[in-house]
Structure formats: C-alpha cells, structure tokens
Amino acid sequence: MTSPGEGSGRAPREHDPKITVIQRELFDEGKSKADKYRDLVIGRGGLGPLVSYELIMLCCSWVPGALGLFLRSKLYPLILGAVGRNVVFGANVTIRHPHKISIGDNVVIDDNCCLDAKGTDNRGIVIGTGVFVGRNTILSCKNGDIIVDDHANLGFNCEIFSASRVRVGKNILMAAYTYLVGGDHLYDRVDIPVLQQGRTARGIDVDDNVWLGTHVVVTDGSRVGRDAIIGAGAVVVGEIPEFAIAAGIPAKVMRDRRG
C-alpha cells in the first residue's frame, strides 16, 4: 500500500534511478541465471560467498527444534555482517545480502521471517540489542537502509520496506500486521502504467517509545514523534507529534498523552 500524497503539501518528487536498478538487473538478458541469483541473494561476487551461503542454508535453515536453533546460532554468524551474543534464529528465515545485516545482542528472529538487505550501495539492515522480530515479519530493502533500534518489539506479520532510510526507534511496540512503507510510486504520467514510472523515497522515522496498533500503515515521508500512540488501522501521512494519540485515515491527533 502506498499513498499518493495528494493535497498533503509535500514537495514535488523526483525519481531516483537507484531504486529500480535492481529489478532491471534481474531481467538483464545478458546475465546468466547464476549471476542473477548472486545479485538477488548473495549481493557480492566470488565463489566463496556463494558456496558458504548455500552450504549453511542447506544444512540448518530448515532444521526444527533445539538442534536447529543451535546450528543456526553457530553457522549464521559466518555469513552475516555482524552478530552479537545470544541471538536466536527461528526456522526458515530468508536471508538476502547477508554481509549487510548486523544484529546486536539478545535478539530473537522468529520462524519464517525475511531479512532482505538487497541493494547496490546501501548499508542494509541494522538490528539493535534486545530486539524481538515476530513470526513472518519482513524487513525488505530496495537499495535502502532499515534501522531497528534497541529493545524494539515487532509483532507477527509486520513489514518494513525501505528504498531510502527507515528507522524504528528504541522500545517500539509494533503490533501485528503493521506496515512501514518507505517508498512510493511515481504516477504523474498517464500514457504509461504506474508500474513503469519508477519509484521515489524519502524515508520514515518512528521515534522512541512509540506504540503502533495492529494494521497501522506509516507512509513514506512520515514521522511519528517519541512516546506517541497510533490507533489500530490508522494510516499515518505526514508528522505525528510526540506524546500524541492519533487514529483514523489519515491519522489525526485525538489528544496529548500528557493531559
């Protein structure tokens, strides 16, 4: 879901070609299937990273129970950019461009999550200390960065998409099915489909101690101030002040938590 932002007073948007270059590369007829796979999944050349990734994922990504948890805790740090102490990886976690994924101490990545740091010149995904990422949650980069700060709690079936920079602050409580949409589609031309008009991205900042209710959508270019609460099903377009309680489509401030 994206928001065209009509009537929002936003500055005119410009297409950043870096956002869509990955898709063009994947459909490049001049590349072999192996090269396309390496671009999509591994993110760097050479036989060593490819072989390491394939062997480790084959040996332990699917293994259930305590044995699987133990194997992944020992083997995943060999392919990821950085992994702290006491990190738990659930079964069937999808990992793309692993060398651009950094994880702090005491983190849980639940079953069936996706950590996709894909991009040509981005930093990737940085997950802080004490973070919980719920089952089926997707962190997806398209040449963007995702920062999940310390002690954030991401519920089941959430998605964070970034074509620029998306930050989730400290002590965030993100309920199930929340979607942070860190990118938008250009749509100004009517002679070609929206799909062919490229994308733009300005990023998202959700500050510390925020509670995002279930099914909340935060659109590109938005900011949620610290200690704010966003009600279930709301769509955030623009800025929500700190300590505000906001709800609705688009989200509007109902009152200040401080009374």
Side-chain angles (χ1 to χ4, degrees):
M1 178 175 180
T2 56
S3 170
E6 292 184 356
S8 63
R10 297 178 179 179
R13 298 164 299 170
E14 294 183 0
H15 171 49
D16 182 352
K18 292 188 295 184
I19 295 173
T20 54
V21 70
I22 296 169
Q23 186 173 2
R24 292 200 303 269
E25 289 178 352
L26 291 176
F27 291 100
D28 184 354
E29 295 182 356
K31 288 187 176 182
S32 67
K33 291 181 179 180
D35 287 338
K36 292 177 182 179
Y37 177 80
R38 187 180 289 109
D39 289 344
L40 176 66
V41 177
I42 310 302
R44 53 180 175 169
L47 185 61
L50 175 62
V51 171
S52 297
Y53 177 90
E54 291 297 308
L55 288 176
I56 288 173
M57 300 305 287
L58 177 64
C59 290
C60 67
S61 65
W62 57 275
V63 178
L67 176 60
L69 295 175
F70 174 77
L71 290 174
R72 289 185 288 273
S73 71
K74 299 301 182 183
L75 295 178
Y76 278 11
L78 301 179
I79 59 173
L80 295 173
V83 179
R85 296 175 292 106
N86 303 319
V87 177
V88 175
F89 295 96
N92 302 311
V93 173
T94 298
I95 298 174
R96 292 177 177 169
H97 290 214
H99 64 289
K100 291 188 289 187
I101 299 174
S102 298
I103 302 175
D105 299 333
N106 304 311
V107 171
V108 175
I109 310 294
D110 208 346
D111 296 345
N112 305 317
C113 288
C114 176
L115 305 180
D116 183 355
K118 187 164 63 266
T120 56
D121 55 8
N122 60 332
R123 182 181 178 188
I125 297 173
V126 178
I127 298 175
T129 294
V131 172
F132 175 83
V133 181
R135 183 177 302 221
N136 301 321
T137 286
I138 299 171
L139 307 184
S140 176
C141 299
K142 261 191 183 173
N143 213 47
D145 299 325
I146 295 174
I147 298 95
V148 181
D149 222 328
D150 296 346
H151 306 293
N153 187 305
L154 279 55
F156 305 134
N157 299 288
C158 294
E159 180 171 357
I160 300 174
F161 166 80
S162 177
S164 177
R165 182 182 186 274
V166 174
R167 173 183 174 261
V168 174
K170 297 178 181 179
N171 304 305
I172 291 292
L173 179 58
M174 185 183 298
Y177 299 99
T178 295
Y179 188 12
L180 274 56
V181 196
D184 204 351
H185 292 277
L186 297 172
Y187 60 93
D188 301 321
R189 294 178 58 181
V190 296
D191 58 321
I192 58 174
V194 172
L195 176 65
Q196 299 175 10
Q197 296 189 44
R199 304 190 72 129
T200 186
R202 290 172 296 166
I204 291 172
D205 188 3
V206 180
D207 211 345
D208 300 345
N209 311 323
V210 167
W211 177 15
L212 302 177
T214 186
H215 288 282
V216 164
V217 176
V218 181
T219 62
D220 185 45
S222 296
R223 181 183 183 278
V224 180
R226 64 182 298 261
D227 292 279
I229 297 175
I230 310 299
V235 177
V236 177
V237 180
E239 184 164 352
I240 302 296
E242 61 183 34
F243 291 97
I245 297 178
I249 303 176
K252 297 185 180 300
V253 176
M254 313 300 288
R255 66 181 180 88
D256 191 299
R257 291 179 61 198
R258 295 167 292 189

